[in-house]
């Protein structure tokens, strides 16, 4: 089976990390995020993948070349981003399969433990034009809300509606019959969520919902990205792309966790990163060369390449861009994102218990 992987988004919600690296290539549990998807696709029987690229397109080929994780790779780049549907149509030029064969299409920012083989089997059995993986979530308004009828047929596609009619959402993994992709208008911006699926449903095409609530996460926000990495390291989602066995922490080659440092909760310590004695790091991602000084506390945070956390500083739910510096004693909490150019000086934001 062939697949199309959508990786052209700008990853704006993950800035400043995505200034230098596109979201799908951010190191996640020691490998580029996409490695986990490639390994899963291979396990589901995918032999060849077309990457639908746009933002920083060249970096994908540089990272994976023409074969990785047992899958052949080709690249279809958009000069201007064509939207999700336009990207699928553009990438289809590189497919080799026949018009009735199934093609797997994946959003490039999803970690999922669902059974792709069963999804394809349902698609074939129903003779569907498209079959969508659907999963229940707590806040469906942030996703594509997808109601189905008693036989699993999709009855509507409501992208990011304030009034969701069900908690069942589009999980970003589709099986398309090839000719349904070829029917998408070429050469212009198309949203598969707002245009293609609603039109297919309106025209009476068979669009099926494959509902499965195995592990599922969209890593598009800093919080979710940290959670995804943590879950992989802890083994809550199995991935054969992991460079080591699951456990409390993943320490990559050349990292230096000094004696007397407390590191755990699914933390990844990148190559050349250093955690000094007396520092505590929990559930976080330290990219290559990051530095955590003595007595500092880092929780549920991402430290970009060569970012530095000064002695005694506290970071909780924070993203530090590449090379960003937090001076001694600072306390940063709750969704702050520190840009590389910003250097927070010593004691700029210091709260003490008796203040
Ligand atoms: N090539 C290309 N060109 N890829 C694109 C483009 C484009 O113009 N626009 C977006 N993508 C890629 C992104 O890189 C990502 O992998 C995928 O398409 C989805 O885009 P997101 O920006 O992550 O969308 P979302 O998370 O807000 O919503 C989508 O995913 C949800 C599930 O996580 C929708 O498909 C929702 O319906 C769905 O519920
Ligand atoms: Mg997304």
């Amino acid at each position: 089976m062939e697949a199309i992987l959508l990786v052209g988004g700008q990853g704006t919600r993950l800035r400043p990390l995505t200034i230098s690296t596109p979201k799908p290539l951010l190191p996640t549990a020691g490998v580029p995020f996409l490695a986990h998807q490639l390994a899963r696709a291979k396990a589901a029987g995918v032999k060849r993948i077309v990457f639908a690229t746009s933002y920083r397109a060249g970096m994908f080929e540089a990272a994976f070349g023409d074969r990785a994780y047992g899958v052949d790779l080709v690249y279809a780049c958009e000069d201007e981003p064509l939207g999700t549907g336009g990207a699928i149509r553009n990438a289809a030029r590189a497919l080799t399969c026949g018009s009735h064969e199934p093609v797997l299409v994946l959003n490039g920012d999803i970690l999922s433990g669902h059974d792709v083989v069963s999804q394809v089997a349902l698609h074939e059995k129903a003779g569907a034009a498209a079959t969508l993986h659907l999963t229940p979530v707590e806040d469906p308004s942030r996703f594509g809300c997808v109601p189905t009828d008693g036989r699993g047929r999709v009855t509507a596609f409501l992208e990011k509606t304030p009034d969701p009619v069900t908690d069942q959402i589009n999980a970003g993994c589709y099986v398309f019959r090839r000719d349904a992709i070829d029917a998408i208008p070429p050469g212009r911006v198309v949203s598969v969520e707002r245009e293609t699926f609603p039109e297919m449903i309106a025209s009476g095409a068979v669009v099926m919902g494959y509902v499965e609530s195995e592990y599922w996460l969209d890593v598009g926000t800093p919080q979710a990205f940290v959670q995804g990495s943590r879950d992989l390291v802890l083994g809550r989602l199995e991935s054969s792309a992991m460079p080591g066995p699951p456990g409390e922490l993943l320490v990559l080659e050349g990292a230096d966790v000094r004696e007397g440092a407390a590191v755990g909760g699914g933390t990844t310590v990148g190559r050349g990163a250093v955690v000094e004695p007396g520092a505590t790091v929990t559930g976080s991602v330290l990219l290559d060369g990051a530095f955590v000084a003595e007595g500092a506390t880092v929780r549920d945070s991402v430290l970009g390449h060569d970012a530095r956390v000064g002695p005694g500083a506290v970071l909780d739910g924070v993203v530090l861009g590449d090379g960003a510096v937090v001076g001694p004693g600072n306390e940063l909490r709750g969704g702050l994102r520190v840009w590389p150019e910003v250097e927070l000086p010593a004691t700029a934001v210091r709260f003490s218990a008796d203040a």
Side-chain angles (χ1 to χ4, degrees):
M1 186 167 53
E2 290 180 300
I4 294 171
L5 197 45
L6 296 173
V7 290
Q10 295 209 7
T12 47
R13 289 167 296 178
L14 278 175
R15 282 185 193 155
L17 296 171
T18 44
I19 294 173
S20 61
T21 310
K23 167 166 71 175
L25 293 181
L26 284 176
T28 312
V31 288
F33 179 81
L34 283 184
H36 304 290
Q37 282 186 316
L38 294 182
R40 287 208 157 259
K42 155 86 181 163
V46 171
K47 303 257 183 287
R48 186 167 176 274
I49 296 184
V50 185
F51 277 52
T53 62
S54 168
Y55 178 66
R56 293 190 173 272
M59 289 183 76
F60 291 92
E61 199 160 356
F64 293 113
D66 57 12
R67 190 169 167 85
Y69 295 91
V71 184
D72 291 327
L73 305 173
V74 287
Y75 299 86
C77 182
E78 299 142 46
D79 298 331
E80 293 293 326
L82 290 172
T84 46
I88 296 168
R89 178 67 177 84
N90 184 59
R93 292 178 306 153
L95 295 172
T96 59
C97 66
S99 63
H100 276 75
E101 284 186 56
V103 177
L104 192 68
V105 177
L106 302 161
N107 283 357
D109 60 351
I110 302 294
L111 282 177
S112 178
H114 85 285
D115 185 348
V116 175
V117 173
S118 297
Q119 181 182 351
V120 176
L122 171 69
H123 175 82
E124 298 284 23
K125 189 169 165 225
T131 301
L132 287 53
H133 172 213
L134 309 177
T135 193
V137 294
E138 258 172 41
D139 179 10
S141 67
R142 298 195 293 124
F143 300 99
C145 172
V146 185
T148 43
D149 69 14
R151 285 171 306 154
R153 197 158 157 176
V154 171
T155 54
F157 195 112
L158 312 159
E159 181 68 7
K160 308 211 172 96
T161 169
D163 308 306
V165 293
T166 163
D167 68 352
Q168 184 174 281
I169 60 121
N170 167 30
C173 173
Y174 322 122
V175 185
F176 273 97
R177 199 171 61 216
R178 162 82 195 261
D179 58 10
I181 295 179
D182 293 336
I184 298 172
R188 70 164 170 89
V189 175
V190 180
S191 162
V192 80
E193 297 88 351
R194 296 180 192 277
E195 199 173 330
T196 310
F197 288 134
E199 280 178 13
M200 287 173 78
I201 296 159
S203 74
V206 177
V207 180
M208 295 299 292
Y210 171 76
V211 184
E212 203 190 302
S213 52
E214 257 303 309
Y215 182 98
W216 184 85
L217 188 69
D218 174 329
V219 300
T221 64
Q223 243 180 341
F225 174 70
V226 180
Q227 189 190 328
S229 179
R230 187 166 59 217
D231 288 346
L232 285 162
V233 172
L234 291 170
R236 290 179 185 154
L237 175 68
E238 219 180 293
S239 171
S240 63
M242 280 271 295
E248 278 296 303
L249 74 168
L250 175 66
V251 180
L252 301 182
E253 225 175 84
D256 187 3
V257 177
R258 304 255 164 88
E259 195 156 336
V263 182
T267 293
T268 301
V269 187
R271 290 168 194 83
V274 175
V275 185
E276 287 199 323
T280 304
V281 182
T282 323
S284 295
V285 180
L286 274 50
L287 297 186
D288 295 355
F291 177 85
V292 182
E294 57 184 357
T297 302
V298 176
R299 199 177 303 122
D300 301 344
S301 297
V302 188
L303 312 191
H305 294 98
D306 301 317
R308 298 179 72 83
V309 178
V314 176
L315 270 63
D316 191 349
V318 169
V319 175
L320 291 191
D322 295 344
V325 177
V326 175
N330 281 285
E331 258 185 62
L332 309 181
R333 296 184 192 273
L336 277 177
R337 296 192 270 167
V338 180
W339 251 249
E341 302 82 58
V342 180
E343 181 162 330
L344 291 173
T347 65
V349 203
R350 184 156 198 171
F351 299 92
S352 68
D354 50 20

